[in-house]
Amino acid sequence: MESVNIKKLAQILNLSISAVSKALRDSHDISKETKEKVIALATELNYQPNPYASSLRKHKSKTIAVIIPEIANNYFTLAINGIESIAQEKNYHVLIYLTHEDYKKEIALTKYLHGGRVDGVLISVSSTTTDYTHLQQLEKNGLPIVFFDRVCEDFNTVKVTTDDYESSYLATKHLIDQGCKRPAHLGMSKNISIGNKRMKGFVQAVTDHGLAMEDSLIINCVNDTIQDYALIKSLLLEQKPDGIFAAVEQYALGAYEVCRELKLGIPEEVKIICFSNLKTASLLNPSLTTITQPAFEIGKEAASVLFKALEKKHYQLKDENIVIKSVLVPRDSTKLF
C-alpha cells in the first residue's frame, strides 16, 4: 500500500500543503470546517506524520546523546531511566554511548557527535579523562552539555551530582560509631571529581573523630576486577582494617569475596559500607549497608536542565552545581556486636 503523506492529502482535498500541515497542527489560521475535513481523511487513510522530516525542517535531530563510562554499574542504569523519562515526554530519542573508561574513546565519540547528529549531550566522564578540550569544542560548535555524576569542575555549565563529600563523611562516621578504629577506604581514580570528594570526606571524618590517618588504609582501585581483588586482599592481609568504606559497589562486592576467601567475618571482624544502588543489597549475606544515591532523580534532573537549553531560544546554561542528597541505609554488614 502506498504511504500517505501531507502532499497526498493536499491533492485529494484540493488544498495547499501548507493548509493541510496547519490543519493537522490545529493552527488558528485554519477554519474548523477545513480542520475536520483534513483530520477525517487523515484518519481514513491512516496518515502517520514523519517526525524526521519535521526535525529536518527545524534543523533539529530530536535526539540527545548520553555518554557514560560503563553500563554494568547499577547507578548508570537507573540514571538512564531517569533521562529517558524526560526524553520520552519531549518526544526525543536517546543515544547511549559507552567510553569503557577510555579517554581516547571519549574523544572519538565526541568527534562523531559534530555535525548535527544530536541536539545536546549529557555526560559522565571516564576515569582516565584529564583534559576536556574535546568537550569544549563541542560546546563552541553550539551543542549544550550537562554533566552528571562524574563532572568537570572547571567547565562552565550545569553539573548534577549527589552530596559525595557529606555522604562519605557520614559513611565513615557510621563505621566509627559502630566501633571501627582502623577504617580503610577503597577509592576511585584521582582523576574523577567524585572520587576526590569521597576520599576527602573519609579523611575528614577519620581526623575529626581522633583516629590516626594512615595512608596505607587508602587504596586507589583501578577498575579492573582481578587487580582490584589483589589490592583488597593485600589490604586485608597486611593492614588488617576493621572497617571498609568502598567508593563504588563493585569494590564492596570484591571485599565480600576476599573476606569469604580469608574466612573473615562480616561484620564481626570487618564492617563494610559503600555507595551503591544495588537492589540486591538487602539480600546479600550479610545484607550490605549502603549510601544509596538518587540515580534516577539525578538523570531526570540532568535531562530536564538540558531540555531547557534545547527548548528556549538563546537560553544559556549557567555554571551551576545541582546537588541531590543520598541516603545512608544501615544493614547487617556494619552491625555492632
Side-chain angles (χ1 to χ4, degrees):
M1 182 181 291
E2 182 184 358
S3 61
V4 178
N5 54 28
I6 289 179
K7 185 176 180 180
K8 185 72 174 177
L9 295 176
Q11 287 175 344
I12 294 172
L13 294 169
N14 196 26
L15 294 170
S16 69
I17 293 173
S18 174
V20 172
S21 178
K22 287 180 179 181
L24 291 169
R25 296 199 310 271
D26 197 24
S27 171
H28 61 82
D29 294 341
I30 305 299
S31 69
K32 181 180 178 182
E33 181 184 3
T34 300
K35 287 179 188 177
E36 288 174 350
K37 286 181 181 179
V38 170
I39 291 170
L41 182 62
T43 303
E44 179 187 341
L45 300 181
N46 194 29
Y47 163 76
Q48 297 294 326
N50 184 340
Y52 298 103
S54 175
S55 296
L56 286 172
R57 287 194 299 272
K58 296 174 182 176
H59 305 289
K60 284 184 176 285
S61 68
K62 297 292 285 184
T63 303
I64 60 170
V66 179
I67 303 175
I68 56 175
E70 57 180 335
I71 199 67
N73 188 325
N74 210 43
Y75 172 89
F76 289 111
T77 303
L78 293 171
I80 289 169
N81 286 342
I83 292 166
E84 282 273 11
S85 71
I86 298 298
Q88 287 177 13
E89 285 180 13
K90 306 294 184 180
N91 294 315
Y92 261 71
H93 302 283
V94 177
L95 294 179
I96 311 296
Y97 295 97
L98 290 174
T99 63
H100 298 287
E101 302 285 14
D102 187 336
Y103 170 55
K104 290 182 179 178
K105 185 158 189 179
E106 188 174 288
I107 292 174
L109 287 174
T110 55
K111 285 182 179 178
Y112 176 77
L113 297 179
H114 287 281
R117 285 185 171 87
V118 297
D119 298 333
V121 177
L122 294 168
I123 183 168
S124 188
V125 296
S126 80
S127 60
T128 54
T129 300
T130 55
D131 182 272
Y132 300 92
T133 305
H134 55 299
L135 297 175
Q136 289 163 348
Q137 190 58 54
L138 270 184
E139 188 183 46
K140 285 179 183 176
N141 287 356
L143 268 183
I145 299 173
V146 173
F147 288 91
F148 70 100
D149 191 49
R150 303 184 187 183
V151 309
C152 170
E153 299 286 0
D154 298 328
F155 209 97
N156 189 23
T157 189
V158 177
K159 301 120 186 156
V160 186
T161 63
T162 191
D163 53 342
D164 292 289
Y165 176 89
E166 293 81 2
S167 290
S168 296
Y169 187 100
L170 186 62
T172 309
K173 180 181 181 298
H174 176 72
L175 287 176
I176 296 168
D177 289 344
Q178 298 302 100
C180 292
K181 303 297 183 185
R182 298 187 71 242
H185 178 54
L186 301 178
M188 307 166 71
S189 166
K190 292 181 180 178
N191 296 331
I192 306 174
S193 59
I194 62 171
N196 282 319
K197 288 180 180 178
R198 292 177 187 182
M199 189 263 291
K200 287 177 180 176
F202 168 80
V203 170
Q204 191 63 54
V206 168
T207 303
D208 286 353
H209 288 80
L211 302 180
M213 187 62 255
E214 303 173 52
D215 291 342
S216 59
L217 292 177
I218 297 179
I219 304 298
N220 290 312
C221 295
V222 296
N223 212 42
D224 177 274
T225 304
I226 295 173
Q227 291 184 59
D228 289 340
Y229 189 91
L231 286 169
I232 296 167
K233 185 175 180 179
S234 176
L235 168 74
L236 288 167
L237 280 172
E238 296 172 14
Q239 302 303 324
K240 296 182 171 37
D242 54 7
I244 287 178
F245 165 42
V248 291
E249 63 195 29
Q250 68 196 59
Y251 305 157
L253 296 178
Y256 264 61
E257 291 177 10
V258 171
C259 285
R260 183 171 57 187
E261 180 189 340
L262 299 179
K263 296 182 170 52
L264 294 173
I266 307 171
E268 298 88 351
E269 295 172 90
V270 183
K271 301 185 193 303
I272 299 176
I273 186 172
C274 74
F275 274 90
S276 176
N277 289 89
L278 276 176
K279 288 185 177 180
T280 56
S282 63
L283 303 178
L284 296 176
N285 186 22
S287 57
L288 176 61
T289 297
T290 60
I291 298 290
T292 303
Q293 301 157 275
F296 181 90
E297 290 76 13
I298 287 173
K300 187 175 180 180
E301 180 65 24
S304 296
V305 170
L306 180 65
F307 278 107
K308 285 181 184 178
L310 296 180
E311 293 176 338
K312 296 182 181 179
K313 286 185 178 181
H314 312 299
Y315 185 88
Q316 187 69 40
L317 288 169
K318 298 181 291 184
D319 186 14
E320 180 184 7
N321 293 301
I322 298 174
V323 178
I324 305 176
K325 295 195 174 202
S326 293
V327 178
L328 193 156
V329 182
R331 297 190 181 95
D332 290 345
S333 67
T334 56
K335 192 173 180 181
L336 182 62
F337 276 84

